[in-house]
Amino acid sequence: MAVDAVCNITNTPVSEVQTYARTTKGLHDYQRAMGLLEHCDYRAGSPRETWLRLIIEDSPLPMPDLQVEISDSASSHIVTADLAYREEKVALHYDGEHHLDREQRDWDSNVTARLFDEGWLDLRITAGMLRDPQTLLGRIAEMLRRQGCTDV
């Protein structure tokens, strides 16, 4: 999560960090660092988004795309989903504490309604849901099945 966060803040693709890390062969824990870098993605917007991505990565579910721009049928931007299955139209959002603010909740509800109007299913994920990965993965799988995915 820390490497994802540093790469995101500095807008540095993990591939660049890997290239640099290869120049440090022989240093303590080089192999471990290279192994960790294989699971990083600089597009993660928060440590909890990384956690969510890693839960999915370690599961039999297909991998979603990260930071997916979603627009309506008139090409007006609706939202950038933290993770999404474009073909199946399933959006995943990690909602931290700021999503409890009244104004943010109202905005989130409007986004969910607009996504639904465009045929998308929207799952709002909280810290508590991340602590129960099997139930969370089951919910994601069910949403994918509802949207016609037969690979889950």
Side-chain angles (χ1 to χ4, degrees), residues 48-49 51-52 55 93-97 100 123-137 139:
R48 298 294 170 100
E49 286 179 34
W51 189 358
L52 172 59
I55 288 171
H93 292 95
Y94 176 76
D95 284 357
E97 286 189 36
L100 296 174
L123 181 60
R124 299 277 170 179
I125 299 165
T126 64
M129 293 167 78
L130 290 176
R131 289 190 290 272
D132 184 3
Q134 292 311 313
T135 300
L136 175 59
L137 291 169
R139 284 194 176 114

Side-chain angles (χ1 to χ4, degrees), residues 94-149:
Y94 176 76
D95 284 357
E97 286 189 36
H98 75 280
H99 288 268
L100 296 174
D101 296 338
R102 178 54 148 189
E103 191 172 303
Q104 184 65 49
R105 280 190 336 207
D106 289 345
W107 189 86
D108 291 342
S109 294
N110 185 47
V111 164
T112 297
R114 289 185 65 200
L115 288 173
F116 182 79
D117 290 345
E118 297 298 325
W120 285 77
L121 296 181
D122 186 30
L123 181 60
R124 299 277 170 179
I125 299 165
T126 64
M129 293 167 78
L130 290 176
R131 289 190 290 272
D132 184 3
Q134 292 311 313
T135 300
L136 175 59
L137 291 169
R139 284 194 176 114
I140 296 169
E142 179 56 31
M143 293 176 89
L144 289 169
R145 280 191 289 275
R146 285 183 189 176
Q147 295 292 81
C149 181

Side-chain angles (χ1 to χ4, degrees), residues 43 65-69 84-90 120:
R43 297 170 298 171
D65 292 322
L66 276 68
Q67 305 305 321
V68 175
E69 301 283 334
Y85 296 92
R86 293 175 200 263
E87 188 174 320
E88 294 82 5
K89 292 188 169 186
V90 173
W120 285 77

Side-chain angles (χ1 to χ4, degrees), residues 3-4 7 14-22 30-41:
V3 177
D4 274 9
C7 288
V14 176
S15 60
E16 288 185 27
V17 178
Q18 288 171 316
T19 299
Y20 174 75
R22 285 187 192 95
Y30 168 80
Q31 291 298 330
R32 183 172 180 238
M34 292 305 287
L36 289 173
L37 288 171
E38 288 178 18
H39 298 282
C40 294
D41 193 311

